[in-house]
Amino acid sequence: MGEMKTYSGSCHCGKIRFEVTADIGKASSCNCSICGRTGWLMTSVLSDAFKVLSGAEAQVDYQFGSKTMHHLFCGTCGVRAFGTYAADGQDKIVVNLRCLDGLDIDALEIQKFDGKSY
Ligand SMILES: [Zn+2]
């Protein structure tokens, strides 16, 4: 914990690849209607710390409710690896930690996030 690290990640079929630099010691488990269904463990970063390396054109954008978030998923394999949103005037990315290479999910401290109430 307490270490900034760059992780690579991808959807299941590998069309969409990305890189994120973050200190990931904790993961949020969200109870909203979409995360609850897809079992996300996530963290949020500023868009500066995130880069799509390939497959941007393979992404499908899904929005619902207040449409504040772009719930992107791969049009081929259906995996939702990350999403984008704006908060406090900044562009942010929420990353599905289960899609990162070499991250030990079981070592993370899981925090509950009450997305249902937003
Ligand atoms: Zn895919």
Side-chain angles (χ1 to χ4, degrees):
M1 257 187 78
E3 193 192 350
M4 293 292 275
K5 230 180 122 178
T6 298
Y7 298 88
S8 58
S10 68
C11 65
H12 186 263
C13 73
K15 268 190 186 166
I16 299 168
R17 293 188 184 282
F18 58 94
E19 207 170 71
V20 60
T21 302
D23 171 6
I24 303 172
K26 293 174 184 172
S28 297
S29 166
C30 177
N31 63 359
C32 83
S33 59
I34 188 164
C35 292
R37 280 172 170 76
T38 55
W40 260 35
L41 287 177
M42 62 188 187
T43 198
S44 261
V45 298
L46 290 174
S47 58
D48 296 352
F50 185 88
K51 195 162 61 176
V52 175
L53 302 176
S54 65
E57 74 292 341
Q59 297 177 123
V60 181
D61 188 8
Y62 173 60
Q63 291 194 288
F64 64 91
S66 60
K67 301 201 172 174
T68 44
M69 264 209 66
H70 294 273
H71 302 272
L72 303 167
F73 65 93
C74 173
T76 298
C77 67
V79 167
R80 193 166 66 97
F82 58 89
T84 68
Y85 67 105
D88 312 319
Q90 291 181 300
D91 288 331
K92 296 192 179 184
I93 311 283
V94 56
V95 182
N96 180 357
L97 298 176
R98 296 189 183 277
C99 292
L100 299 185
D101 302 326
L103 178 68
D104 184 1
I105 291 283
D106 294 331
L108 301 176
E109 182 186 327
I110 310 291
Q111 297 178 314
K112 290 196 170 136
F113 179 71
D114 188 16
K116 202 187 253 179
S117 304
Y118 282 76

